[in-house]
Amino acid sequence: MLFKAQKILSPILAPISKGYGAVMARRADKYSSGEYERFRPECPCISVGNIGSGGSGKTPIADWLLKWAEREGLLTVLLTRGYGAKPAQLPYLVNILSPVHEAGDEPLMLANSNSQAKVVVDPVRKRSGAWAEQEFKPGLMLLDDGFQHMAVERDLDFVLLTPDDFTHGWDKVIPRGTWRESVQALQRADVFFVKSSPDAFRRMHWLIQEKLAQLGKPVFQFELKAKGLRLLGGGERLDFGSEKYLLFAGIGKPEILREDAGKDMGRAPEEFIIFKDHHAYTAQDVESIRKKAAATGAKRIVCTPKDAVKLTELGCEDFYVIDLEVEFKETIFFDDTEDAPFDKWWNKQRLTDALKK
């Protein structure tokens, strides 16, 4: 619906979008020239962000990097604004006991799955960065959703794109489209990621070449693969089974979840309930979900990890959570680098090399 409206109103929205893109470009120039103050971490810093809005997979990539850093013995701080969070104080250090309304759903999810990392919520990330550096002396700092947040200097910009970004969404800046900056901003990127299946990525190969070849930066495909289910109340990973199920989610681009769940579970859900992204679940929501599951004969109620962190105090221990893992397979290099998926290409030396730029 939104896309159709933007297309119809394109002649009116185009000049507004052009003006917005110009404002963002001037802002970036002021940061790069030193006119605007920036915080420079003493440790290596990676930004994980995107050019558009929502649904590109920033949180799973940040989670993968946190786990990689722990394996490498690097204490990592992740700086996030914590969308929708209402912290008791700022900066706010998230832990597994943090109330979700204080921490935010994605920060709490990252803290729960990366107990050794320090997840810090604060909309002013140069403040939280300075505080975290003094408190923890980290070996690595990550900026969540940081591509447009230039008040913190970074050594690498990881920029995520969706398949839509390469087609009807290409260089369509707010309000004409979903992009936060114009296409020239992609020149700041060091690594690109595309969230898609390997087959879809291969079909897009020519389009990626056309759009990104002149930038000369590697492009890595990734997807979230469901490995099974877990009870929200805890326990081992379970097989998907063949029982009827109800699916619900409050995430960006839920239609992709429905399609993937149908493949993984071997059948479509009896009911798919969509809540707005970052939805704060209530007891009434849970009651409604249970009633719809009973009415449709669904034996299992299934949600995502992002939803699960907001349901722990609502008596949902019998709900099932999709157990997701990031998988990398395809890649495009625009030089003579030997093809390798991101998890084989990325290493500590590449992080060290970034500091020499």
Side-chain angles (χ1 to χ4, degrees):
M1 184 67 72
L2 178 60
F3 170 67
K4 288 182 179 179
Q6 288 170 328
K7 187 175 182 179
I8 294 169
L9 297 174
S10 182
I12 299 171
L13 299 177
I16 303 173
S17 295
K18 187 175 180 180
Y20 184 86
V23 168
M24 292 297 287
R26 285 196 296 272
R27 172 179 174 270
D29 288 342
K30 288 179 182 295
Y31 273 113
S32 62
S33 67
E35 187 173 342
Y36 287 171
E37 181 183 357
R38 307 180 81 185
F39 166 64
R40 168 72 251 187
E42 294 182 6
C43 63
C45 182
I46 301 173
S47 164
V48 179
N50 54 12
I51 191 77
S53 58
S56 61
K58 296 186 302 293
T59 300
I61 292 295
D63 182 66
W64 188 93
L65 288 169
L66 288 172
K67 289 177 169 56
W68 169 83
E70 183 176 347
R71 292 194 300 270
E72 294 291 330
L74 295 172
L75 174 63
T76 306
V77 165
L78 181 135
L79 305 180
T80 177
R81 64 174 176 154
Y83 181 87
K86 296 179 174 60
Q89 72 281 328
L90 294 170
Y92 181 87
L93 180 64
V94 183
N95 63 66
I96 60 173
L97 299 178
S98 295
V100 68
H101 70 273
E102 290 189 0
D105 50 13
E106 289 171 349
L108 184 57
M109 185 173 67
L110 289 170
N112 283 348
S113 61
N114 299 279
S115 60
Q116 301 304 308
K118 308 297 181 183
V119 177
V120 183
V121 171
D122 193 336
V124 183
R125 279 171 272 191
K126 62 182 181 182
R127 173 177 62 196
S128 60
W131 174 82
E133 190 165 78
Q134 182 176 3
E135 288 289 317
F136 306 117
K137 304 294 187 295
L140 176 65
M141 194 168 285
L142 298 182
L143 299 180
D144 172 53
D145 197 11
F147 191 47
Q148 289 78 35
H149 192 90
M150 288 171 280
V152 177
E153 290 191 52
R154 72 293 309 275
D155 301 290
L156 289 167
D157 264 302
F158 287 1
V159 176
L160 282 67
L161 298 164
T162 67
D164 288 346
D165 286 325
F166 289 97
T167 53
H168 61 259
W170 182 259
D171 199 21
K172 288 189 174 64
V173 179
I174 297 168
R176 188 180 173 216
T178 63
W179 281 29
R180 302 168 179 178
E181 299 181 80
S182 62
V183 68
Q184 288 75 22
L186 295 181
Q187 296 174 14
R188 304 198 310 267
D190 296 288
V191 176
F192 291 105
F193 293 88
V194 179
K195 183 184 175 187
S196 75
S197 69
D199 287 343
F201 187 84
R202 286 191 289 269
R203 290 194 297 269
M204 291 172 55
H205 197 287
W206 68 273
L207 194 55
I208 296 171
Q209 288 270 0
E210 178 184 282
K211 303 292 189 183
L212 299 181
Q214 70 274 18
L215 300 178
K217 303 300 172 60
V219 185
F220 296 99
Q221 170 268 339
F222 77 100
E223 64 179 336
L224 298 180
K225 293 293 289 184
K227 301 297 184 180
L229 300 173
R230 292 183 189 274
L231 278 166
L232 195 148
E236 298 296 316
R237 178 189 289 171
L238 306 169
D239 292 336
F240 291 112
S242 57
E243 294 180 307
K244 293 181 178 181
Y245 67 100
L246 176 145
L247 180 67
F248 72 93
I251 60 173
K253 300 189 177 178
E255 64 280 359
I256 297 175
L257 171 67
R258 179 175 189 164
E259 181 179 344
D260 290 344
K263 294 175 184 176
D264 297 328
M265 305 282 283
R267 63 190 301 162
E270 302 304 307
E271 181 90 22
F272 181 36
I273 306 173
I274 300 175
F275 295 90
K276 67 178 182 179
D277 195 11
H278 302 284
H279 179 68
Y281 291 98
T282 65
Q284 289 73 26
D285 292 328
V286 173
E287 182 180 1
S288 176
I289 290 168
R290 289 190 183 280
K291 284 182 178 179
K292 287 185 179 180
T296 59
K299 301 300 182 183
R300 290 181 171 181
I301 300 174
V302 180
C303 66
T304 73
K306 181 175 171 178
D307 301 296
V309 297
K310 293 174 283 190
L311 296 165
T312 55
E313 297 179 0
L314 293 174
C316 300
E317 292 82 2
D318 58 328
F319 284 16
Y320 291 84
V321 184
I322 302 172
D323 197 5
L324 298 167
E325 291 183 10
V326 175
E327 285 190 1
F328 304 96
K329 288 190 177 178
E330 297 294 317
T331 185
I332 299 175
F333 292 104
F334 300 109
D335 55 22
D336 58 357
T337 304
E338 184 178 350
D339 283 354
F342 179 74
D343 55 345
K344 301 295 189 296
W345 175 85
W346 176 249
N347 55 47
K348 211 169 182 179
Q349 185 59 50
R350 296 196 186 280
L351 184 61
T352 301
D353 291 344
L355 301 177
K356 301 174 183 176
K357 292 193 304 179

